[in-house]
Amino acid sequence: MDDVSRGLIVIVREPDTTAELDALGETSLRFLEGALAHDGSSRNRMDAAGAWTDPPALGDWWGRSVWALGTAAAGAGGPLPRKRALRAFHLAASRRSPHLRSMTFAALGAGEVLLRLPDDEVAHLLLRDAADRIMAASSDAPWPWPEPRLTYANAAIPEALILAGTVLGAPEVTLRGLALLDFLLELQSQPGHLSVSGSAGGGPGDRGPQFDQQPIEVAALADACARAYAATGDAYWLDGVRLAWEWFEGRNDSDTVMFDALTGAGYDGLEREGRNANRGAESTLAVLSTHQQARRLGVLDLVRVAG
């Protein structure tokens, strides 16, 4: 479910659609629809025979499915897919997860719906509840992050606040999101390049490069910086998108290119001496998503000039 949700978001965002992409989007949407239980919770894993192997629940995969369904409801290529995605979104978005990260992902889907359908009450209630949850957990302390440690896809949290503040007319929420994103960028940068937390996460006392850096962390930063630029028009955030794409091109702690230019596949982790050569769906979609943001915002030209 996690990977299918990520894939559907990338498909919907892609401006240069093709018949092949449309068919893949239809397959992905049917997968998400089929995963939903009658109460709005979601299954996560399907075996090779097409049978679900886990009970419906409200983990990260539920949040990502809400994100993907909201994105498709707002931007899928035709009225019928948008209608189907919105119906499934409304069912899933009626639930609330006890997990902050799940609610963060779901909030991004709710925000996408509200950008297109500002009177959607289901999306409004979900986004408000998620924003309240994140705001209550963050502070102005030396460690303002709303969790004890960084984990993964961390920038989704400030992105959710920036989006919530924008569509709910709550500038204090937007400002909190921008402040958290700025804190995260500073924490996850070395001079001239991103240096994101590794797979073990990061806490208040951790400094210096960490390894097994995950492409999903970089892609989340690109998404959040793009959202911050949309909310503020401040070119400072374009630099964050540029740094994210440069990380994939090799401007990182190991000077290692993190995607296969021939196939477009992304490598699974940045290591001290190079990279994890596995090329999974999550990492490949992270490359594609980051490239989409960099291309859409004209950052690729800035990368070429800097190079």
Side-chain angles (χ1 to χ4, degrees), residues 239-260:
D239 200 49
V241 180
R242 176 183 62 80
L243 289 171
W245 180 246
E246 288 181 339
W247 184 92
F248 285 105
E249 290 202 316
R251 191 168 293 182
N252 50 48
D253 287 318
S254 297
D255 296 323
T256 300
V257 175
M258 289 300 294
F259 69 99
D260 182 337

Side-chain angles (χ1 to χ4, degrees), residues 74-139:
L80 182 56
R82 289 197 298 270
K83 183 177 180 179
R84 287 167 50 201
L86 185 63
R87 182 170 59 243
F89 168 83
H90 281 157
L91 175 59
S94 66
R95 299 299 304 273
R96 300 292 181 269
S97 173
H99 309 297
L100 183 142
R101 195 58 59 94
S102 301
M103 287 294 287
T104 294
F105 296 144
L108 293 170
E112 292 291 345
V113 170
L114 289 169
L115 287 172
R116 183 179 179 92
L117 303 169
D119 295 326
D120 191 292
E121 188 64 19
V122 174
H124 186 279
L125 289 173
L126 174 59
L127 188 57
R128 172 56 67 186
D129 287 349
D132 287 348
R133 179 89 64 86
I134 299 169
M135 290 287 283
S138 58
S139 72

